[in-house]
Amino acid sequence: MQFHILIVDDDPLVRDVLTRMIRQMNYTVLEANSGSEALRLLADPSTPPIDLLLTDIMMPRMSGIDLLKNLRQTHPDLPVAMITGAATLDNCIAALNAGAYAYLLKPMRGDEVREVVTKGLQVLEQSRSRQMLESKFKDRYQALENQLTMLQESQQQAALGVSAEALDGLIRGLRHELGNATTAIKLNLSVMEYDRSDPDALHEHLQDLESSTDELVALLTRLKQYPTAGAISELVDLRQSLTALVDSATQKFANQPIQLNLVLPEESVLVHGRDMELMSMCIHILDNAVEATIDAGGKQVTIALKVSDESATVTFSDEGSGFPAEMLDEIFSPGYTTKMRSGFMRGLGLGLFVARATVNLYRGRIWLENRPEGGANVHIRLPLASYEDASRAHSTMPFAD
């Protein structure tokens, strides 16, 4: 990327020295001999966007401090470093209060200039990343809020096949989490500003947030479209779906020290539902189980499918550190997360909350327990399809040659 750096100094010799040093870093340099000229350049539409500004403090008519105060009104995110012949305490405090990120002392050495410029561009990238994150999710949050309002105002709650109490609780939880999402993002980014040692942290954080909001969008869309009780026409073969899930996960975690075990009955296990919704939920739970197992030094995760007379239960067993016993009832609440890293929360803590909402819509149940031998179990119980539905499904399947 070609960065543009503006040097503001009334001394042409200083400007010339700085220009030559910065051009050696392969950046484009613009010059201004005063604060007022710098403001004119920044306001000129023909001037390329300025990424970094270096300004002398002591200049006639408009000091570097005054220039910086002006820039905070018009260019609040532009990184500015100060150039001075004598870094007095008063000047330092004034510059920091106005928003300068660094000082350059005259006479300047090349390594000092390079260090200050590099730091300034890091500040710029951090600011742009924050803006990108806030912009990326602003429209999504508004769309979610609109969907929540439409759902709450809908006169078809009785046709959703969900009790009014359960639906109201779901809406309250989602609205509460939606209101906290922007604050969480800003707090997390503030923490990351002080941790530039991990360049992948922001990318990982973005992916988790995007995944969380996608799950919310899908859930709310399904709530508005959900059929009446007992009228779900699609059938899912859990045996087939879980086999595909583990095959995919085995490839995904091929480079991790983890073994995935799958325990299945010999016959197909049919439930009412939609395969993508159920598998999206299972993928999230399996990812958490694998992560918990690896973090605790465990070696394997087991997915087991068991069938009773009226229901099928999928159990994810990990070798992680388990759930805090006193938190078992709160883990399904919106905002609860175990994904804390380097002081910030990854994602929005909605995975298990969305999973429970999805299972409830299918007349099922999801619950957690800590294993006596260590680790945890996540159980998902779903009602089996009726004998008539299962028979019709089998009659439409193609016969093998």
Side-chain angles (χ1 to χ4, degrees):
M1 181 175 181
Q2 183 59 57
F3 292 104
H4 296 82
I5 298 174
L6 176 59
I7 299 171
V8 186
D9 200 304
D10 61 324
D11 187 335
L13 180 59
V14 172
R15 295 200 307 272
D16 180 64
V17 170
L18 280 173
T19 296
R20 286 188 284 108
M21 288 180 177
I22 293 173
R23 282 177 177 165
Q24 288 176 353
M25 300 176 71
N26 296 319
Y27 300 140
T28 300
V29 179
L30 290 82
E31 299 180 33
N33 59 21
S34 66
S36 57
E37 183 182 0
L39 292 176
R40 284 195 297 272
L41 274 174
L42 288 165
D44 188 343
S46 64
T47 302
I50 300 301
D51 301 300
L52 179 65
L53 188 144
L54 307 178
T55 181
D56 191 16
I57 289 184
M58 302 302 294
M59 295 185 294
R61 293 181 294 280
M62 181 184 291
S63 70
I65 301 294
D66 292 334
L67 171 60
L68 181 52
K69 290 178 179 178
N70 274 276
L71 291 174
R72 285 296 160 258
Q73 302 299 317
T74 58
H75 297 75
D77 298 311
L78 178 63
V80 176
M82 291 294 179
I83 305 168
T84 181
T88 66
L89 180 60
D90 288 344
N91 279 342
C92 288
I93 293 175
L96 290 173
N97 286 339
Y101 74 88
Y103 261 97
L104 272 171
L105 293 176
K106 300 177 184 177
M108 295 162 288
R109 301 197 312 268
D111 58 338
E112 293 174 336
V113 173
R114 287 188 290 272
E115 181 179 355
V116 166
V117 169
T118 299
K119 181 180 179 181
L121 294 177
Q122 289 176 342
V123 171
L124 174 71
E125 288 300 310
Q126 205 73 25
S127 175
R128 287 178 175 173
S129 295
R130 180 168 53 251
Q131 292 173 5
M132 176 183 65
L133 181 58
E134 292 174 352
S135 174
K136 186 178 183 65
F137 292 102
K138 180 179 179 181
D139 292 342
R140 289 186 179 213
Y141 291 150
Q142 187 58 53
L144 289 171
E145 178 64 33
N146 292 342
Q147 287 188 336
L148 281 169
T149 300
M150 291 172 62
L151 182 61
Q152 200 165 32
E153 294 174 350
S154 172
Q155 300 301 312
Q156 301 177 355
Q157 290 188 10
L160 291 172
V162 185
S163 70
E165 181 181 355
L167 184 61
D168 287 343
L170 176 63
I171 293 173
R172 284 197 303 272
L174 290 173
R175 192 179 293 282
H176 175 268
E177 183 56 32
L178 195 60
N180 289 338
T182 300
T183 300
I185 290 172
K186 290 181 178 179
L187 288 174
N188 290 346
L189 284 172
S190 296
V191 172
M192 279 190 282
E193 283 190 32
Y194 296 95
D195 183 18
R196 299 193 179 107
S197 60
D198 184 3
D200 295 327
L202 180 61
H203 179 68
E204 182 180 20
H205 189 60
L206 279 167
Q207 287 183 321
D208 285 330
L209 286 167
E210 187 167 8
S211 175
S212 293
T213 52
D214 283 344
E215 288 175 352
L216 273 175
V217 170
L219 175 63
L220 292 173
T221 300
R222 290 298 305 120
L223 273 171
K224 291 191 297 182
Q225 300 172 348
Y226 215 78
T228 57
I232 308 170
S233 58
E234 296 181 27
L235 292 175
V236 176
D237 184 346
L238 289 179
R239 188 178 186 280
Q240 180 179 337
S241 296
L242 291 174
T243 299
L245 170 68
V246 172
D247 287 345
S248 175
T250 299
Q251 297 179 19
K252 178 179 179 180
F253 299 115
N255 296 325
Q256 298 288 347
I258 197 77
Q259 178 180 338
L260 300 180
N261 303 318
L262 181 60
V263 180
L264 298 173
E266 295 183 0
E267 302 295 330
S268 297
V269 179
L270 298 179
V271 298
H272 287 288
R274 287 173 173 80
D275 190 53
M276 288 189 64
E277 285 179 358
L278 292 174
M279 286 307 100
S280 175
M281 174 182 64
C282 289
I283 288 170
H284 178 85
I285 294 172
L286 179 58
D287 285 348
N288 283 350
V290 169
E291 183 174 345
T293 298
I294 293 174
D295 288 346
K299 296 181 180 180
Q300 59 185 350
V301 172
T302 299
I303 304 97
L305 173 61
K306 295 183 179 179
V307 180
S308 64
D309 291 340
E310 298 181 349
S311 64
T313 303
V314 183
T315 300
F316 296 82
S317 302
D318 66 53
E319 294 182 347
S321 56
F323 298 105
E326 68 278 8
M327 298 294 292
L328 282 174
D329 293 335
E330 300 182 29
I331 288 175
F332 289 104
S333 302
Y336 180 89
T337 183
T338 59
K339 293 184 175 182
M340 296 295 296
R341 183 174 299 171
S342 302
F344 67 90
M345 182 182 78
R346 287 171 42 206
L348 298 179
L350 293 173
L352 287 175
F353 176 64
V354 172
R356 185 177 64 176
T358 303
V359 171
N360 286 346
L361 291 176
Y362 287 112
R363 299 292 189 280
R365 179 187 171 216
I366 181 171
W367 73 99
L368 315 174
E369 65 178 1
N370 287 322
R371 303 169 64 202
E373 65 271 30
N377 290 328
V378 179
H379 303 283
I380 301 171
R381 180 173 294 162
L382 296 168
L384 289 171
S386 67
Y387 176 80
E388 293 77 10
D389 289 335
S391 297
R392 283 196 297 270
H394 283 299
S395 68
T396 59
M397 293 180 181
F399 292 99
D401 292 336

